Amino acid sequence: MSQKPFRLAITMAGAVSAGAYTAGVMDYLLEALEEWEKRRGQRDIPSHRVVIPILGGASAGGMTAILAASTVNNPITPVPFPNASNMFNEHPENKLYHSWVDLIGKDMFPKMLDPSDIQSQKIISLLNSQFIDDIANKMIRADAKRWRAAPAYFEMPLKIFTTLSNLEGFAYNVDMIAGRGRAKYNMSVHNDYACFELFENTIPTKNTPGWIPLNFNINENLDTARSAAMATGAFPVGLRSREVLRKSEDISEIKWHKEMLTSHPLKPGIIKTLNIDGGMINNEPFEKVRELLDDDTKLAHAAEFANATQQETDELLKQINSQFSQFENTVVMIDPFPSQDPKPFDFSPGLLNVIEKTLAAMTSQMRAKPKDYETAMETADASRFMISPSRKVENKHGILEDRLGETAIASGTLGGFSGFISKEFRIHDYYLGRYNCEVFLRDYFVVPEVDMLANPIFRDGYKDIDTSSYVSEYEGQLSYPIIPLFTERTPPNELPMPVFSAGSNWPKTTTAVVDAFKKPLKIRIEKLLLNVTKLSKFSNFLVLAGARIVLNRTIANMVQNTIKKSLNDWGLLTDYDGKEENGD
């Protein structure tokens, strides 16, 4: 029987408050692997193994990757399905739920509007970001009282990385022939990564170059991991930027930096970087996870890759990775905001439209992955899978209609910040993540029967057992799950979702909830305006009056109207009348 495990690497994309969806997916996935492990060796239980060697992510996904790593040596207790009486109960026994759904309170916007972080003539972000520090300090640690050995479905040492947008960047230059000899063409690279390798016992005397050793049992490099988690989630301007301290060698040896920093080395010692949201430059780092898996594949098949040219290496990797009959690993990306089809382009030359399109073009180009253009054209490729939001929602005519991607989650509007308005929104997204993961594992994360019989990992895993309870049909073929489930299938057109206060399984709030933000919003705007520049006391008085009378009211009303309209467009308001706020 084959002893080789199937290696499943996870990539988690940026999500802001929709991290609740990612947390739900991860919660269900780990619960499924845990249940399988408990049943291993019993009659008619598939015997092959699936292990997770890598967790990579950006922004909220990167935060969840580091958070998930902190759960490896602690059990995750399933959260009881909520009802009206216990809907808002907190669940510290489940770190994924507690971190993303409970956060630090039911109502998050008042905390994010608290002006206590604004010091005289010093503004660090539009919103108060202290809640992120509170969550990171509370959650990115292990519970020594509940310590256990890492489950067999984690490959140890586990690799964890998150993307960073390094504002200073790493400088390098190129020699250019100029009119009077040679000149330097200076550039800098701003896409950065914080890479960790998780150990549960003692740290080895020599870790993998470029991977910072991480141990939650003895708090080894825990502060660095927390800083990296907060840095990758530092939404530009909205949330405060973050410093990360690392040894120069831990940066120079990173796979994606090594070539450049060998010729342009960093100074020895501790390197401080100032970072914002890792998703700004690379929001879906699946190609980085794929590269790491490919490096391992080349080592495992050293004889086949020996003396191969780069083109031959690429073709061989493609053959091994893309065919279900041969693949030994894959990447699953959890993406609450998958890319949508392009919308009709607005050719208006107006300044605001051009600014918006310029920022969108810059961000899209920074995230583009040229090496994957060819791969993206392939339609059936076993090397990559994706879990993204999907559900049916009743429209205003009472008809169920499909919603996909960001429109299927309650945290999808306001740039992903809407989940901070209502805990019900986060609860919905968490349970939708669990449900979507269940459907994915049952019906899509599967191997067609003909390939299952050819692939030794799955052929041996399903050998001599009754497979009738596992088989499903995918694209007209009998197929077998890579990760078997042991629960009853959710009936068609049923959604395992609590009934929310609005009376349905789709959460909604009221305009009164949004109106309650107005006073703290005006106070914060006033403080922001008064501290933008250094002003004399007399000028302060004049600006204070102007801010209260004109600017403050205007901006606050504009924000209020935007929030209401966006929530209504998403079907998240029960009583929107379309009237804009103009007065105090």
Side-chain angles (χ1 to χ4, degrees):
M1 179 175 291
S2 171
Q3 297 298 311
K4 179 183 291 186
F6 184 82
R7 305 174 77 230
L8 166 60
I10 309 292
T11 305
M12 290 170 264
V16 196
S17 65
Y21 177 86
T22 303
V25 173
M26 281 298 296
D27 191 42
Y28 191 92
L29 174 62
L30 296 179
E31 192 176 299
L33 289 169
E34 183 80 15
E35 184 61 28
W36 185 16
E37 203 57 38
K38 289 178 183 176
R39 295 171 183 253
R40 189 169 297 282
Q42 298 177 17
R43 182 179 178 183
D44 292 330
I45 300 299
S47 62
H48 64 282
R49 290 187 178 275
V50 172
V51 298
I52 299 174
I54 304 163
L55 297 172
S59 191
M63 299 171 80
T64 307
I66 294 174
L67 179 70
S70 76
T71 71
V72 167
N73 295 107
N74 287 157
I76 301 178
T77 304
V79 175
F81 196 78
N83 55 43
S85 65
N86 62 15
M87 180 79 71
F88 300 115
N89 287 3
E90 294 194 350
H91 294 282
E93 72 279 9
N94 186 302
K95 190 177 286 190
L96 290 166
Y97 185 97
H98 195 45
S99 300
W100 279 110
V101 180
D102 291 337
L103 293 174
I104 60 169
K106 177 184 171 184
D107 301 317
M108 292 301 300
F109 253 46
K111 293 177 173 61
M112 298 168 73
L113 295 174
D114 182 347
S116 61
D117 63 317
I118 303 175
Q119 301 174 18
S120 178
Q121 298 153 24
K122 184 178 181 181
I123 300 172
I124 53 178
S125 57
L126 291 181
L127 297 170
N128 190 320
S129 308
Q130 182 59 42
F131 76 99
I132 296 175
D133 297 72
D134 295 341
I135 293 170
N137 290 329
K138 183 171 67 170
M139 293 299 168
I140 301 180
R141 61 173 65 248
D143 185 347
K145 295 180 180 179
R146 304 173 70 215
W147 188 267
R148 67 169 183 173
Y153 48 83
F154 280 111
E155 181 178 289
M156 301 297 285
L158 174 70
K159 284 184 166 59
I160 311 109
F161 77 86
T162 184
T163 62
L164 301 172
S165 295
N166 183 332
L167 293 182
E168 180 182 15
F170 302 118
Y172 69 102
N173 56 64
V174 178
D175 278 337
M176 306 285 283
I177 297 176
R180 295 185 179 181
R182 291 187 176 273
K184 300 288 186 183
Y185 179 54
N186 296 297
M187 294 170 282
S188 59
V189 170
H190 298 269
N191 54 319
D192 197 358
Y193 309 87
C195 302
F196 301 92
E197 203 166 40
L198 179 66
F199 295 88
E200 57 182 336
N201 298 311
T202 57
I203 298 294
T205 54
K206 189 174 182 180
N207 61 295
T208 304
W211 295 86
I212 302 170
L214 180 63
N215 186 310
F216 287 93
N217 193 21
I218 60 174
N219 294 334
E220 181 77 16
N221 291 314
L222 206 54
D223 287 341
T224 306
R226 287 197 196 102
S227 297
M230 292 189 288
T232 192
F235 193 87
V237 183
L239 301 174
R240 66 170 297 180
S241 57
R242 302 285 179 167
E243 294 178 356
V244 179
L245 302 176
R246 290 166 287 172
K247 296 176 183 177
S248 61
E249 58 266 31
D250 289 335
I251 299 174
S252 299
E253 292 292 334
I254 292 174
K255 172 183 172 64
W256 307 295
H257 287 334
K258 190 171 182 179
E259 184 176 351
M260 179 192 68
L261 294 181
T262 297
S263 56
H264 297 81
L266 300 174
K267 293 180 180 179
I270 300 298
I271 302 296
K272 179 169 69 174
T273 59
L274 182 64
N275 312 273
I276 58 172
D277 198 322
M280 188 183 79
I281 292 179
N282 190 347
N283 197 51
E284 293 101 359
F286 64 86
E287 84 289 357
K288 302 302 180 187
V289 175
R290 183 71 260 168
E291 284 181 40
L292 295 173
L293 286 179
D294 286 348
D295 288 344
D296 293 341
T297 298
K298 286 183 279 190
L299 287 175
H301 296 263
E304 298 173 63
F305 286 93
N307 303 317
T309 65
Q310 186 59 54
Q311 182 177 352
E312 291 168 340
T313 295
D314 292 343
E315 286 298 320
L316 187 53
L317 282 171
K318 186 176 177 181
Q319 179 182 336
I320 294 173
N321 294 336
S322 65
Q323 298 183 20
F324 286 94
S325 60
Q326 296 188 58
F327 77 144
E328 304 165 356
N329 58 57
T330 196
V331 179
V332 169
M333 182 165 73
I334 306 169
D335 195 348
F337 296 93
S339 300
Q340 304 292 317
D341 291 336
K343 298 177 181 178
F345 188 79
D346 183 355
F347 285 89
S348 168
L351 180 61
L352 292 179
N353 182 60
V354 172
I355 290 174
E356 178 188 348
K357 297 295 185 290
T358 299
L359 293 174
M362 290 170 61
T363 302
S364 295
Q365 186 59 41
M366 285 189 295
R367 291 176 177 175
K369 302 170 175 65
K371 288 181 65 176
D372 291 308
Y373 290 164
E374 180 182 350
T375 307
M377 300 301 108
E378 299 170 12
T379 56
D381 187 343
S383 71
R384 60 187 189 272
F385 292 80
M386 182 168 72
I387 305 176
S388 60
S390 172
R391 65 156 293 175
K392 293 181 183 293
V393 176
E394 195 174 276
N395 63 21
K396 62 183 179 180
H397 303 295
I399 300 172
L400 286 176
E401 56 185 21
D402 290 322
R403 287 197 182 182
L404 302 173
E406 62 189 56
T407 62
I409 52 177
S411 303
T413 189
L414 295 174
F417 277 81
S418 56
F420 294 127
I421 290 177
S422 168
K423 186 172 181 178
E424 287 194 353
F425 293 178
R426 304 192 298 272
I427 293 170
H428 169 273
D429 292 353
Y430 168 83
Y431 279 101
L432 183 63
R434 284 182 56 86
Y435 172 66
N436 286 165
C437 187
E438 177 198 346
V439 173
F440 172 77
L441 294 180
R442 284 192 195 280
D443 297 327
Y444 298 96
F445 197 48
V446 295
V447 180
E449 185 173 52
V450 63
D451 296 307
M452 183 272 285
L453 295 172
N455 190 314
I457 293 176
F458 304 106
R459 181 185 63 224
D460 293 347
Y462 281 100
K463 186 178 181 180
D464 299 329
I465 69 171
D466 180 2
T467 60
S468 59
S469 62
Y470 304 111
V471 68
S472 64
E473 187 170 315
Y474 177 63
E475 294 189 347
Q477 302 182 71
L478 293 181
S479 300
Y480 295 81
I482 294 172
I483 297 175
L485 299 181
F486 306 99
T487 55
E488 291 293 325
R489 177 185 289 272
T490 300
N493 295 323
E494 283 193 21
L495 182 64
M497 185 71 65
V499 176
F500 297 103
S501 58
S504 73
N505 64 13
W506 176 251
K508 295 183 180 182
T509 190
T510 65
T511 55
V513 170
V514 181
D515 288 338
F517 303 145
K518 189 165 187 179
K519 185 175 180 179
L521 179 63
K522 290 174 72 174
I523 292 172
R524 185 165 184 89
I525 290 172
E526 180 179 293
K527 277 212 165 188
L528 288 171
L529 289 171
L530 290 176
N531 286 279
V532 168
T533 58
K534 186 176 182 180
L535 300 167
S536 69
K537 290 183 179 179
F538 180 69
S539 296
N540 256 334
F541 171 77
L542 294 178
V543 173
L544 178 61
R548 284 180 172 170
I549 295 172
V550 182
L551 290 176
N552 194 9
R553 182 178 63 194
T554 302
I555 296 173
N557 288 339
M558 182 177 66
V559 173
Q560 290 281 109
N561 293 331
T562 298
I563 291 174
K564 289 179 183 178
K565 185 177 185 307
S566 295
L567 292 176
N568 184 67
D569 290 345
W570 232 252
L572 295 170
L573 273 185
T574 59
D575 56 351
Y576 182 68
D577 59 10
K579 294 180 181 178
E580 291 199 352
E581 195 80 29
N582 291 309
D584 291 334

